[in-house]
Amino acid sequence: MQRILVVDDVEVNRELLCNILDKDYIVEAAEDGEQAIQWLQEYYEETAAILLDLQMPKMDGFAVVEEMKRKGWMPKIPVLVISGEYAIEAENRCFELGVSDFIHKPFESSIVRNRIRNTMELFSTRNQLERTVQEQAEALREQEAIIRIQAEKLKEERSFNRLMMEYRSAIKEVETKLQVLNEEFSQEYNRNPFESIKSRLKSPDSIFEKLRRKGYPLTLDAIRDNLSDVAGVRVICSFSDDIYRLGGLLTKQDDIILLQAKDYIKNPKPNGYRSLHYILDVPIFLSHEKKYMNVEVQFRTIAMDFWASLEHKLRYKKTWQREDADEIVAQLKECADSIEDLDHQMQKIRDKIDRCSQ
């Protein structure tokens, strides 16, 4: 049977509780807080619950709980306070210290047994959940350690470095095609369809983290088959209509395959972000073969690129308070909407200037 410790300086209360519980538990008794702590020093691992009076000589119930917290026993043993008081302040203080429940005097046998049983079951369930979470966290850490080792090995392989070379080559192909279009526009229309091009190759750590997060194996085939954003190109345009014109010209080239298009200009994201996203299959020409590689191409206006850059920095700040998050998100959305209005107004001004120049 499970062992319960009753701590009360009144002998009648101790005897009454022992009579109520001795059929279901092994009941030990202590006359004050000092005896209780001395007993727990030796038997706390065998103790299933403590019934603790608050008002006692030498060492009261509050001091017992404080000492149990100091010794690290509170998370392991449920404490039920037995008291004839109904003071809210005292109960709040007990709960803040980690007490599990109250049993008020005079004692009713069925209430005492039910409260003890329910408290012990809840306490056991909570501890089991905590152990499960700890075990899962440990298993995850072990899994991540294995993944890091696999990732480090893969990064050193020539085949991985060759794959990264192929993605870099695909980025260069897209950049070249865009630069050619830019030159043509400059000659024929005396203006450029875009302001700048930014490119990036996803870092090995970022690639492996995304594979892990999505549940894919750390293999070259998994990278090729499941990640479409390893190679990325961002095109910064002055005006929204240049985005659609340039995007259309690029995707109509006969060696480019458009795999996916997401128009966040006509259908902005909830946070206000606006851009045009393409996933393209782009040919690269190697010494012995021609092969297609995925490249993600994003088109943004200058103003939206400025907003997205700042939003990214703010979003990854670690100092956000939960109560501030909704307000900050709303303010960012308001800024994005203002930028959309600005882009629209600048487009109208440019169109008017073009008409006046004809």
Side-chain angles (χ1 to χ4, degrees):
M1 290 195 297
Q2 293 175 300
R3 191 184 299 269
I4 289 179
L5 176 63
V6 175
V7 188
D8 195 313
D9 61 322
V10 179
E11 184 177 359
V12 172
N13 290 334
R14 296 197 302 270
E15 291 180 354
L16 181 57
L17 288 169
C18 287
N19 290 333
I20 292 173
L21 301 172
D22 61 4
K23 292 182 180 179
D24 302 311
Y25 306 98
I26 299 172
V27 183
E28 306 287 350
E31 296 179 2
D32 56 47
E34 288 185 355
Q35 282 190 14
I37 293 299
Q38 290 172 3
W39 193 89
L40 287 169
Q41 290 277 15
E42 187 170 355
Y43 298 109
Y44 83 90
E45 291 184 350
E46 304 169 19
T47 305
I50 298 175
L51 306 186
L52 178 66
D53 187 23
L54 291 179
Q55 303 300 325
M56 295 182 294
K58 297 183 182 179
M59 187 178 193
D60 66 13
F62 292 114
V64 171
V65 174
E66 292 281 7
E67 183 66 11
M68 290 180 65
K69 284 176 64 71
R70 191 181 70 81
K71 292 182 176 294
W73 295 340
M74 287 297 288
K76 302 175 182 178
I77 309 172
V79 176
L80 296 90
V81 168
I82 50 177
S83 175
E85 298 183 10
Y86 285 82
I88 294 176
E89 295 81 2
E91 291 197 10
N92 281 334
R93 182 182 174 191
C94 288
F95 284 127
E96 289 172 358
L97 290 171
V99 167
S100 297
D101 203 352
F102 275 76
I103 299 176
H104 290 288
K105 303 173 185 177
F107 302 124
E108 171 60 42
S109 299
S110 61
I111 292 177
V112 171
R113 285 193 290 267
N114 286 330
R115 282 189 178 272
I116 292 173
R117 184 185 66 251
N118 292 342
T119 297
M120 290 170 60
E121 287 177 355
L122 287 171
F123 204 84
S124 176
T125 300
R126 188 194 72 181
N127 287 344
Q128 180 58 46
L129 286 173
E130 289 178 352
R131 285 193 294 271
T132 300
V133 170
Q134 291 174 356
E135 290 169 359
Q136 290 175 343
E138 181 61 30
L140 182 61
R141 284 192 292 269
E142 292 177 359
Q143 182 184 20
E144 290 176 345
I146 293 172
I147 289 174
R148 283 195 298 272
I149 293 172
Q150 292 175 336
E152 289 301 320
K153 289 182 178 178
L154 186 58
K155 281 192 288 187
E156 296 173 0
E157 291 184 8
R158 291 186 60 185
S159 55
F160 175 79
N161 291 320
R162 179 177 176 83
L163 178 62
M164 294 300 101
M165 177 274 292
E166 292 171 354
Y167 278 119
R168 284 194 297 271
S169 300
I171 289 174
K172 291 177 182 178
E173 290 286 344
V174 173
E175 289 177 332
T176 299
K177 289 176 178 295
L178 290 168
Q179 292 291 357
V180 170
L181 290 172
N182 198 46
E183 288 286 338
E184 181 184 5
F185 264 67
S186 179
Q187 289 293 323
E188 293 195 14
Y189 304 104
N190 199 30
R191 68 181 185 86
N192 303 103
F194 63 84
E195 296 292 326
S196 63
I197 299 176
K198 302 175 183 178
S199 62
R200 67 104 182 94
L201 187 67
K202 216 174 186 66
S203 70
D205 290 340
S206 182
I207 291 171
F208 301 141
E209 167 58 24
K210 190 165 186 177
L211 287 175
R212 184 196 65 78
R213 190 171 67 248
K214 290 183 173 293
Y216 297 123
L218 266 66
T219 63
L220 299 184
D221 287 341
I223 296 172
R224 293 190 192 93
D225 297 341
N226 301 295
L227 302 187
S228 58
D229 61 345
V230 175
V233 176
R234 186 180 304 149
V235 187
I236 313 302
C237 299
S238 299
F239 304 99
S240 294
D241 67 344
D242 285 336
I243 288 177
Y244 290 109
R245 181 180 294 112
L246 189 59
L249 291 171
L250 178 64
T251 56
K252 287 178 181 176
Q253 297 193 12
D254 58 11
D255 59 346
I256 292 285
I257 300 173
L258 175 61
L259 300 177
Q260 187 181 74
K262 293 183 179 180
D263 192 340
Y264 296 118
I265 298 175
K266 294 179 180 177
N267 302 289
K269 289 188 175 182
N271 65 352
Y273 174 76
R274 292 168 169 85
S275 70
L276 181 63
H277 286 210
Y278 288 151
I279 302 298
L280 306 178
D281 238 2
V282 178
I284 61 172
F285 301 89
L286 304 171
S287 58
H288 296 96
E289 63 176 329
K290 168 187 173 182
K291 66 190 305 184
Y292 278 82
M293 306 295 295
N294 284 174
V295 180
E296 180 187 56
V297 184
Q298 302 178 15
F299 297 87
R300 300 176 184 169
T301 63
I302 297 172
M304 183 48 63
D305 186 62
F306 168 75
W307 179 92
S309 177
L310 292 183
E311 190 269 349
H312 178 81
K313 292 177 182 178
L314 293 172
R315 183 155 42 92
Y316 286 96
K317 287 279 187 181
K318 303 301 183 184
T319 55
W320 278 29
Q321 299 296 323
R322 184 178 297 274
E323 58 270 20
D324 297 330
D326 290 343
E327 181 182 355
I328 292 172
V329 168
Q331 289 175 340
L332 286 168
K333 174 65 165 58
E334 184 178 341
C335 290
D337 292 342
S338 298
I339 285 174
E340 170 66 8
D341 291 338
L342 174 63
D343 279 339
H344 183 66
Q345 290 297 322
M346 295 301 291
Q347 179 77 57
K348 290 172 63 177
I349 292 171
R350 195 208 68 180
D351 292 345
K352 186 173 183 179
I353 291 173
D354 287 347
R355 289 194 298 270
C356 292
S357 301
Q358 292 176 356

